[in-house]
Amino acid sequence: EWMTADTVIIATGAAAKRLDIPGTGDGPNGFWQRGVSACAVCDGAIMAKDTQSFVIGGGDAACEEALYLTKFASEVHLVVRRDALRASVVMANRVKEHPKIQIHWNSNVKEVTGGDRMEKLILHNSASGEDVEMAAGSLFFAIGHNPVTNFLPAEIETHPNGYLKLTQPGRTFTSVPGIFAAGDVSDHVYRQAVVAAGRGAAAAIDAERWLAAGGFGAAQE
């Protein structure tokens, strides 16, 4: 059903990328939210507590999540598909030097298994061809996010990575007058709920002031 509006705030967020690994899905045979997650900050305190926790990824976000999980997990395993981290030198060194973090180079997770919740996973080393079954209480994807912008028309400009482009520093204006953006859909740096809530308030104020100053409604009158 088509509806009209004088102004719109886009706050559709960004979805965490996930890999199609057997046992990690949402269905009855998957352990999504039963040990598998894509947000260590959201779920780590519960899922990773006193377990061997695994993080998939090699960038800054993966390193940050691995370091965060050391507060709760008995041991943290960082699964990196290459032989080097993509993270900044400072972040990479922090991970490499942490006594509770073990890095698995040239590796990927082949399968997750368990009972009521995740209990084990199979780790494959692409260099040696070896598969190893390991006890695992939690697994976190940290391979980036996709902003939910694919339904929007091309008139609303985005950055090359798909996030909405804001046209004024510190404001929520998009390239189309009367359309504003708030939260993770236009934020590829922080991606935190508290930041998104603040930007939502800012977008509401921007929209209200835009309408009060004229907007399309006043122009049409």
Side-chain angles (χ1 to χ4, degrees):
E1 181 183 356
W2 288 97
M3 302 181 69
T4 61
D6 290 327
T7 184
V8 173
I9 297 174
I10 301 171
T12 47
K17 295 178 182 178
R18 293 159 58 178
L19 299 176
D20 188 19
I21 299 171
T24 63
D26 305 88
N29 297 321
F31 293 93
W32 183 251
Q33 291 302 311
R34 293 190 294 142
V36 180
S37 171
C39 181
V41 175
C42 310
D43 303 318
I46 297 175
M47 288 188 181
K49 186 173 176 58
D50 300 325
T51 71
Q52 287 202 107
S53 186
F54 288 73
V55 177
I56 297 177
D60 281 330
C63 290
E64 288 176 5
E65 301 233 324
L67 288 165
Y68 176 79
L69 289 169
T70 59
K71 301 177 183 179
F72 313 105
S74 57
E75 189 172 354
V76 178
H77 299 262
L78 184 60
V79 182
V80 184
R81 62 186 178 91
R82 305 190 305 171
D83 60 357
L85 293 170
R86 293 183 291 103
S88 64
V89 174
V90 173
M91 189 63 71
N93 287 339
R94 288 180 62 192
V95 167
K96 292 175 182 178
E97 294 167 2
H98 200 290
K100 290 181 70 174
I101 298 178
Q102 180 180 350
I103 302 177
H104 300 270
W105 305 108
N106 301 303
S107 298
N108 57 78
V109 176
K110 286 185 66 175
E111 185 179 5
V112 170
T113 60
D116 291 334
R117 57 171 289 114
M118 174 183 177
E119 296 173 358
K120 299 178 181 179
L121 59 73
I122 297 175
L123 198 63
H124 174 75
N125 186 292
S126 58
S128 66
E130 181 182 15
D131 287 347
V132 178
E133 185 177 73
M134 301 182 67
S138 54
L139 171 67
F140 297 87
F141 292 109
I143 55 175
H145 291 73
N146 285 321
V148 184
T149 56
N150 56 351
F151 69 98
L152 296 171
E155 290 82 0
I156 304 176
E157 294 181 6
T158 62
H159 291 282
N161 59 10
Y163 287 82
L164 288 182
K165 183 182 293 186
L166 301 180
T167 58
Q168 297 185 32
R171 306 296 294 276
T172 61
F173 293 88
T174 68
S175 59
V176 176
I179 297 181
F180 304 85
D184 291 3
V185 72
S186 59
D187 175 18
H188 58 88
V189 178
Y190 300 106
R191 288 194 296 265
Q192 296 295 318
V194 65
V195 177
R199 299 308 291 169
I205 294 170
D206 281 342
E208 188 276 334
R209 289 178 177 174
W210 183 82
L211 287 170
F216 287 125
Q220 290 169 353
E221 291 178 359

